Amino acid sequence: MRGRKRKPSEWSWLPKGVYAIRGWLVHRAYQNGKFQPDVKICRLEVARKSRASFYRRWEELQGEGAHNLRWVIDKYLNSRQFTRLAPRTQKDYVRYRDRICGYPVNGTTFGNFPLSRLNKRVIRAYLDSYPAPVAGNRHVQFLGSVFSWATQRYEDVPVNHCDGVKLNQEEARDRYIEDWEYAIVFICAQNMRVPLIAPAMELSYICRARRGEVFAYTELSIRREGLYLKRGKGSKNEVTLFSDRLRLAIDACRRIYPSAPPKGHLLHDKNGNPYKKNALDSAWERVITKALTTGAALPPELAKEAMAAGAEFIGGCYLLTGKFTFHDIKAKGITDHKNHDGGHRSKKMETVYNRLARRVEATR
C-alpha cells in the first residue's frame, strides 16, 4: 500500500546532509559511523532570498574541506607511521581526533578550520578555551605529532604550529600508597568472586609495571631467571629476578581459571582471552568501593599504621580512607625499590614516579 503523496518541501533543493534547524541551514556530516557536530552555513532568510548566497557559502565550506585541520589529521591517521604505533596509542589518537575536530569554533567546528589560517595563536586559543586543561595538553601534543609528520609531506603544512606553544600547567601526581592502604585493597581484591586484581596488583608492584603491561604478560614472559617485561612508552625492557613473592603472584594468576583454554596470557578470562579495558576498569572500581565501605582486617603492625593515620575501624575491619589508581601501584613499587628503578630513560620521569620526599642527613 502506497503512502499519501506529500507536498514538496521548501528545502527539497538542499544538498544531502543539509537541514533547516532553528533558523539556520546546517550541514550534518555522517563519518566513521556517527553524525558529526552541525556546521552552520547561513540563515534561512538568506537562502530564501538567494539560493546563490547559500551555494556560495556551501562551496566555500566544501573548498576548505581539502585543506582543513580534519584533512591533515586524517592523512596522518591513514599513514604508515600511525600503523607502527601501539594499539592503545592508536585508539587514543583516534579519540583525540574526534574531540579536536568536533570542538565548536565560531559557528563551525575546529576540524573545519582552514590550514591557511592556522597559527600558534589559534592553537593557544584552543588550549585556553578547552574545558579540560590536561586533555587539551594531550590534544596539542597529538597535533604536534601530526604537523611534524605533515610538514615533510604537504605544502599546505609548511610549519609545525604547535612548536613553542606552552602547554597548560599540570600538577604532578604525588599520591603514595602506604603499606596498610595497599594491604586493605589487596585483601579486598583477594575476596572478590574473581580475584584477578589481587595478583595484578602484586605484579604491578613487584615489577613496577603499568596495568597494560601486567595484563600483557604471557607464559613466554617467564624466563629461567625471572619475569621478562616489555615496557611501553619508550621505557627500557627488563627481567625482574624471581623472588618468593613474585613466584606466589604468578601462581595466583594461574589459579584463577586453571581449566581455561591455553592461549598464552597469564591473566585471562574463563575462555583464555585477555581482558578488555572496560572490564578491568569495572573490576578495579568494585575492589576500591569494597575497600572504602567494607575494608579488611589487618595484621598488628599494619593495624597500628592504619590507626595512626586515622583509618575508620568498623566490625574488626579498617576502611580505606582515600582512593588511589592502579597506576599509583607502579609508583609505589618504584618508590619502595632499592634503586627506584622503573625502566625510565630520563631522570625527570624517575622523579615523577618516586613519590616520597628525599631523606637527607642533617648538617653536622
Side-chain angles (χ1 to χ4, degrees), residues 1 24 49 88 106 116 123 135 145-146 149 157 161 176 180 201 230 243 252 270 298 302 326 331 360-361:
M1 180 178 178
W24 284 85
K49 291 178 181 177
R88 174 63 187 274
N106 298 328
S116 59
I123 301 297
S145 298
V146 172
W149 172 85
V157 191
H161 301 293
Y176 174 74
W180 65 270
M201 288 177 64
K230 182 176 176 60
S243 65
K270 62 183 178 181
L298 295 175
L302 295 179
F326 193 96
V360 182
E361 294 289 337

Side-chain angles (χ1 to χ4, degrees), residues 47-344:
R48 285 192 180 104
K49 291 178 181 177
S50 171
R51 292 189 185 185
S53 298
F54 163 82
Y55 279 114
R56 187 160 49 248
R57 176 58 180 154
W58 173 248
E59 288 169 3
E60 286 176 3
L61 290 174
Q62 297 303 298
E64 290 171 1
H67 307 279
N68 61 17
L69 186 58
R70 182 188 297 276
W71 172 80
V72 71
I73 292 176
D74 286 342
K75 287 289 186 182
Y76 174 74
L77 296 185
N78 289 315
S79 70
R80 185 181 304 174
Q81 183 166 321
F82 177 75
T83 62
R84 292 171 180 164
L85 300 174
R88 174 63 187 274
T89 304
Q90 291 184 24
K91 189 174 181 180
D92 287 343
Y93 281 5
V94 170
R95 190 174 74 253
Y96 295 164
R97 186 271 311 274
D98 294 341
R99 296 287 188 274
I100 293 167
C101 292
Y103 190 66
V105 177
N106 298 328
T108 180
T109 59
F110 201 27
N112 291 322
F113 203 92
L115 290 176
S116 59
R117 292 167 50 198
L118 203 60
N119 55 47
K120 292 183 181 181
R121 288 187 296 278
V122 173
I123 301 297
R124 178 72 259 167
Y126 178 84
L127 272 175
D128 290 341
S129 64
Y130 198 79
V134 175
N137 285 348
R138 301 292 90 77
H139 295 172
V140 170
Q141 289 170 330
F142 162 64
L143 285 176
S145 298
V146 172
F147 293 144
S148 177
W149 172 85
T151 53
Q152 304 173 50
R153 293 168 174 83
Y154 300 105
E155 292 182 0
D156 293 333
V157 191
V159 296
N160 187 336
H161 301 293
C162 295
D163 280 348
V165 176
K166 187 176 181 180
L167 298 178
N168 295 319
Q169 186 174 354
E170 297 184 34
E171 294 292 332
R173 187 167 176 81
D174 59 359
R175 175 72 158 93
Y176 174 74
I177 306 168
E178 300 292 346
D179 290 344
W180 65 270
E181 294 179 297
Y182 182 93
I184 290 174
V185 176
F186 179 75
I187 293 169
C188 289
Q190 282 185 313
N191 293 329
M192 301 300 284
R193 184 175 63 84
V194 181
L196 69 105
I197 294 296
M201 288 177 64
E202 286 287 84
L203 290 178
S204 178
Y205 176 74
I206 297 166
C207 302
R208 293 98 48 225
R210 300 177 181 88
R211 189 181 76 174
E213 294 165 348
V214 168
F215 283 88
Y217 276 131
T218 67
E219 292 290 341
L220 295 177
S221 303
I222 303 172
R223 306 294 172 85
R224 181 176 56 83
E225 67 274 28
L227 191 60
Y228 173 75
L229 174 59
K230 182 176 176 60
R231 293 191 183 275
K233 298 193 175 182
S235 297
K236 294 179 286 188
N237 300 337
E238 67 181 42
V239 173
T240 300
L241 301 179
F242 278 126
S243 65
D244 291 341
R245 187 170 177 178
L246 178 55
R247 292 183 189 278
L248 287 173
I250 293 172
D251 290 342
C253 292
R254 290 167 167 166
R255 286 198 302 271
I256 296 175
Y257 287 116
S259 59
K263 295 183 180 180
H265 283 84
L266 271 181
L267 284 164
H268 52 76
D269 63 18
K270 62 183 178 181
N271 297 315
N273 298 316
Y275 285 98
K276 302 289 186 183
K277 179 183 180 299
N278 290 345
L280 297 178
D281 290 343
S282 299
W284 175 252
E285 193 59 34
R286 287 193 295 270
V287 169
I288 288 294
T289 299
K290 186 172 183 177
L292 290 166
T293 57
T294 304
L298 295 175
E301 309 81 26
L302 295 179
K304 283 183 181 179
E305 294 180 18
M307 192 180 303
E312 196 172 353
F313 186 69
I314 299 177
C317 295
Y318 287 94
L319 306 187
L320 185 67
T321 55
K323 288 185 176 183
F324 58 84
T325 67
F326 193 96
H327 197 67
D328 288 331
I329 299 173
K330 175 189 175 180
K332 176 176 174 59
I334 293 172
T335 305
D336 294 352
H337 191 267
K338 179 175 65 175
N339 300 321
H340 304 306
D341 197 347
H344 299 113

